[in-house]
Amino acid sequence: MNLTFVIPCYNSEKIILNNFNKLNNFIKKNKIRAKIIYINDGSNDGTFNKLKKIKKKNVFIINNKKNLGKSSSIINGIKKIKTKNVILIDCDLPYFNNLKQVISSLKKNDLVLVNRKIKGSKNVEKNQSFYQIYRHLISNYFGYLMEKKLNLNVNGDSQAGLKGFKLKDYIKKRKFISKYYFFDIELIKLFRIKNAKIKMIPVKYKISKDSNIKLVSFKNFLYLFEFFNILNRYS
């Protein structure tokens, strides 16, 4: 299978090279013909300098000179893709143990996503911080609104950081609303509209203790505006 990994990253200098080596070894071990597109989204640390150290013909780097948002970075990456199959994964390589299953499932499905809220999934974090509990509650609330308005049928979980999909023409041609955070919602909704084959994979997971989404931030208002704008467009 020919496929392209799209990996948005922001302020990831501490993990980016080790995780590239991890992914590259996975590709070699499983004899996958793959390209990797990293999108550095205006990081203010040494992420871009670390990426420039990767000297591989199958690795391509897009450097946003300013922070455009995760969704914009992904969309810019998709524009560069020539393969039919895409793996969208965060730069910290979440759910890496499920990556092989996602790729294999993509052979018979149009969209494959790990899902933290379906039967078989389990939160393995025993002692959660206030921030983790807060994120969980907020996620459940927005997941409820999303399902009520959009009928995505993903149990309210659209944002897990690992997905595989076939790059259909209606994806390439689509003008997405999302700039910051909710590209995933639009992607899933488009596949639902087209009655595409969608597979969800249960996972063991932990709620991140560190995230670009802060408890108090002006960007949260931008995220909220974007979220409700998407609900209005597709509902």
Side-chain angles (χ1 to χ4, degrees), residues 13 31 40 47 67 90 144 150 154 171-172 192 196 198 223:
E13 65 174 351
K31 298 180 180 179
N40 174 47
T47 298
N67 184 251
D90 291 347
Y144 165 78
L150 303 181
V154 293
I171 301 296
K172 291 182 179 180
R192 288 296 186 196
I198 299 177
Y223 299 153

Side-chain angles (χ1 to χ4, degrees), residues 103-230:
I103 293 173
S104 177
S105 298
L106 194 55
K107 295 177 182 178
K108 295 183 179 180
N109 297 277
D110 298 305
L111 173 64
V112 182
L113 31 136
V114 298
N115 190 304
R116 297 162 290 188
K117 296 184 180 180
I118 61 174
K119 184 177 180 180
S121 290
K122 183 180 180 181
N123 184 351
V124 296
E125 183 74 75
K126 294 183 179 180
N127 298 311
Q128 298 188 53
S129 66
F130 172 78
Y131 176 76
Q132 290 172 301
I133 295 171
Y134 169 83
R135 281 197 64 184
H136 181 68
L137 292 175
I138 292 296
S139 174
N140 284 346
Y141 174 69
F142 283 102
Y144 165 78
L145 290 179
M146 180 182 69
E147 290 292 356
K148 186 175 182 179
K149 292 287 187 178
L150 303 181
N151 297 314
L152 296 186
N153 295 318
V154 293
N155 291 44
D157 187 17
S158 64
Q159 302 304 120
L162 173 59
K163 295 174 176 68
F165 61 93
K166 296 190 183 300
L167 190 55
K168 305 287 188 177
D169 286 339
Y170 55 80
I171 301 296
K172 291 182 179 180
K173 296 176 181 179
R174 187 71 178 181
K175 292 184 178 180
F176 292 93
I177 293 175
S178 183
K179 294 181 179 180
Y180 302 107
Y181 194 64
F182 297 108
F183 167 81
D184 309 68
I185 293 178
E186 293 190 78
L187 182 71
I188 296 169
K189 183 61 179 179
L190 286 177
F191 277 112
R192 288 296 186 196
I193 290 172
K194 298 295 183 178
N195 294 314
K197 293 183 179 179
I198 299 177
K199 180 180 178 64
M200 294 182 286
I201 295 173
V203 291
K204 294 180 180 180
Y205 68 95
K206 294 182 180 181
I207 299 172
S208 176
K209 297 178 181 180
D210 185 26
S211 171
N212 292 324
I213 300 177
K214 306 302 179 184
L215 290 178
V216 180
S217 171
F218 172 75
K219 283 188 175 182
N220 291 344
F221 293 100
L222 299 178
Y223 299 153
L224 283 172
F225 178 79
E226 181 173 277
F227 178 77
F228 286 107
N229 196 15
I230 289 172

